[in-house]
Each structure stands twice: as structure tokens, then as C-alpha cells.
Amino acid sequence: MNLTGYALSALNAAQAGLATSSHNLDNAATPGYSRQSIIVAAAPAQNSGGGYIGQGVIVQSVQRSVNDFINQQLNSAQTRASALDTFGNEVSQINNLFADRTVGLFPALQGFFSGLQGVATSPADPAAREQALGNATQLVGQFNSVGDYFDEQRGDINNQIQTTVSQINSAVGRISALNGQITAANAVAGGQPPNDLLDARDTEVANLQKLVNVNVSNQNGQFALTLGDGHVLLSGGTQYNLVAAPSQSDSASMTVYASVPGGAGGATMLDPVRETLVSGGSLGGLFAYRTQSLDPLEKQLGLLATGLALAVNAQQAQGLDANGATGTPMFSITPPAVASGAKNTGSATVSAAFDASNLSALRASDYTLSYDGTNYTLVRASDGATLYTGASVSGLAVDGVTMSVGGGAHAGDTWTISPVTRGAQNIAMTMTSPAQIAAADTTGGSANGNNALALAGLQNEKLLGGKQSSFSDAYASLVDQVGNQTQENANNLTAQQALVTQNYNAQQAVSGVNVNEEYVNIQQYQSQYQAAAKLVQVSETLFQTILGAVS
């Protein structure tokens, strides 16, 4: 190789280094960018007879500075932080609803029993009765208002699930497109890595992890994606979209279905995603909030409203109103709701009613009744306990609820029984006149306030939770639960954000652009370029000298 050849190889290497360092500086603040560097090697030497003489330098490749393990750690930390942040945003709203005990349901509950105490003190006073009826109406209004708020929250969660699913599908689509671009670029460049496309794909994966936790596997250079429950989102260039639709067990709640192959003619079918296995990201946070907070809190509030209505109505029946007539119900409540499974094929119907004599057995839970062709099985959803297995369900009394099945059931049929879930939304006033308050007991005549005193005493009587909790206790427990969840989530989020920062710093130590380092590299490549240019000049001078000697 002549001197010009040596100069050109050095110029090419220096130019590649300058271009790469300039590219690094330009993208020092670009999110997801990984620092790039040129890989150079000495060109194969040539035997001159008197030894091997080098042939200059060659640029082998341009590589990213990445550590896949650190990137995975960062993504895992971010998907967990995103879930906690989403959970916290939702639960804090309910916490704000219950935290102030000077307004809302708590003072209404206190005022209701205070009004009954006033009637007990002055049973013949129309003003006291009017006040008590007004307080009862206000309490029902507060129950309904909080119940409606839960409905609004559920609707908001449904909307967010739909939006998040759309964002997940879009992100997976972009990753699929980048898979194709990377494969094509690799083929064109003889296997050289298209670094900026690889960065773009890693960034899309990181953003996807903020929406939902996914498992990522590299299949011959292409990323395959699966959910935590095993459903495939992307494999072999085929994308399987998620679909947000009402749950088969609860039409009021939106859930997620995965598209799976197996339908007629190769069509995909929809298979429900197991929410408990979808963790991380905003979608996991929404599922966790609904499962751990919204649903149980709504049921506890419904139990409080239902239990109060049953207890007050039962006590009303023990007394006489201002006209000497036997007391009539103050409140109305709807019977336990029963929803038939979406895939039921039989004609059987399930009915359920409250057992007012067993109020303390009521639970803040739904129940699933299933039929296998021979026996019915009843399972309590809150703890998974099997409460009954038998060939017949006729007058079955469980947890303060009596159930019966009529008609013909087919194997595989299921029903969901929800005794108290919508208790707060459905409680209503039936009493319209203050005179209907049954203040007197049946032994002392219609002028005494003994029964009103018993009604007021219900406030602190242990009637709920197996006779372990009063109405005040139940409300306090609900408030404490949501407060504890809010605080615990905030603490976990703070710790998780610190872990995200730690992992991000570790990732940047490997992949981030150090501006000062790039300045040094540019100076080095500049000096190399100048030296190579000088070599060109020397080569030209020698060539001219040779021409002069020959001529």
C-alpha cells in the first residue's frame, strides 16, 4: 500500500469517529438514545519479504453502549412505579371523599341517630319527629351520593381501561413495525446493527412497560411480547390486539380480552385476560385499584346501608307509630342482585332474599353459584370459600341470604349473587310522614318513646360482621381501610421512584452521552484527521520529487 492508501484509511477512520461523536453530541438530550462508538482494527498486514508491514486501519462497526440486564431492571422498576402512581391517583380521590368527617356520610349517620334520640325524648313533639324524618332522608341522600360517586369512579376506570388498551395496541404496532425495519436494515448492511432503530425499539418497549408489564424475548433479532398471563401480543411479525369489553361476570365493569388464534378459517377468538396476572403499568394499576379498593369499599358501604335498613325496619316493626298502628318500614332496599352467566344454556333462574333475622351473618362479598350437571356449588368470592355443594338449591340459607333455583340448569351454568354491592345506591325512603316513626313500644301505649330509644340504640349495637361491629365501627373501618391504602401506596411509590432513579442512573452510566468525553474524542479524531491529511501532503511531495528526478 502506498502512503496515499495509508492516509485514506486514517482519514476514513477519523471521519467516522468525528461523525459518531458529533451524532452523540447532537443526541445527548434525546430520550432513549444510547451512546455510540466506532470499532476499529488494524488492517491485515502484508508480507514484504522483510517482514509484515501494516496496511492501515479499517472501521469494523459502529456499536451502541447498552446493558440489556440494566435496561430490564429499569423497565421493571418503571412498570411498577407506573402501576403505583395510577393506583394512588384513584384511591386518593376516595380517600378525600371519606377523610373529612365534618361533611358527607359520617355526620349524616350521626345526625340520623341523634334525630331518633330526639324522638325518644319527646315522642309527641311533631318538630322532633319532623327533624328525625329529615335526618333519615338526608342519610339516604348521602348513601346515594356516595354510591353514585362509586359508579362514576367505575365509569372512569372503564374509560381509562379502553384508552390504555388502545395505547397498548398502538405501541405494539410500532414495535412490530420497528422489528421489520431492523430486519431490513440488517440485511442491507450485511448484519451491521442499525443503532438508532434499535434505540427506537427499546424506547417503545420502555413506554409500553409503563402501560402494562410485558415479557420481552428476542427471536432472531425480532422482539416477541407476551402479557403476564401468557397471552401473546406480538410474535413472528403477527400482532394480536387486546380488546376492552364488558366483563362476562359483571357487565358494569370493563375488562380486557386477548385475541388468540384458533377460530374458523384461522380467525382469532377473544379470550379473557386474567386480571390478577396483569401486573405493572397503568393497566395493572387500574385493575389493582378496582380489585383491592373500589370493589371491596363499595361492598362494605353497601353492607352498611343494607344492614342499617334491615335493622331499622325490623325495629320499626316492634313499635307503634303516632296513630297507634304497628310500625312500617322506614327504608326500602332491593333484594340481592343475581346475574346469569353469559354462557348459560339452561333455563334455570336463581332468586335470593335477605334473612332479616340473621343480619349479623351478612358479608361484604359476592357469591358464585355453578352447576356441573349433578351438583350445585356455592363459592364466596371474597375468600374463595366453598359454602355449599349439593344437588338442590331450595331455601339455601348462607351468610344472611336465602337462595333458591327454579327451572332446568345445564352443566356449566353459573350465576353471580351480589347481596350488598349496590346497597348504597339502592337504599331509599319509604316513610313519608313523621307520624309513621314507631316511637312507642307495644306494651306502654303509643305515647312513650321506648321503641325510638331502641332505634337510636342501634347506632352502637354490634349487629354487623358476626356481631363484632356496630354501624359506627363499620364506617370507621371503611375510612381507616381507604386511608391506610392511600398512605401505604404513597410510601411504596416513593420507594419505587427512588429505585427508578437508581436504575436510571445505572443505565445512563452505561448508555448516556458524556459531553466532556465526546469533546475529548472529537479533539482526538481531529488530530488524527489532521495527521492523515499531512500524510497526504507528504505523499504528494514525494511523488513530485520522484517525477522531478525522472524528468
Side-chain angles (χ1 to χ4, degrees), residues 42 55 158 166 342 382 472 489 529:
Q55 300 297 299
N158 288 342
S166 177
S382 60
S472 296
N489 186 82
Y529 194 94

Side-chain angles (χ1 to χ4, degrees), residues 256-331:
V256 177
Y257 296 83
S259 302
V260 297
T268 57
M269 302 181 298
L270 295 182
D271 189 43
V273 168
R274 296 178 62 185
E275 294 184 7
T276 55
L277 296 181
V278 178
S279 61
S282 54
L283 183 61
L286 292 171
F287 283 157
Y289 166 70
R290 188 168 65 188
T291 301
Q292 300 171 20
S293 292
L294 184 62
D295 287 349
L297 289 172
E298 184 178 35
K299 288 177 175 61
Q300 290 175 42
L301 184 68
L303 175 60
L304 177 59
T306 301
L308 179 73
L310 290 173
V312 170
N313 288 350
Q315 191 61 51
Q316 269 280 116
Q318 300 301 311
L320 302 174
D321 64 18
N323 299 315
T326 301
T328 55
M330 182 178 293
F331 305 110

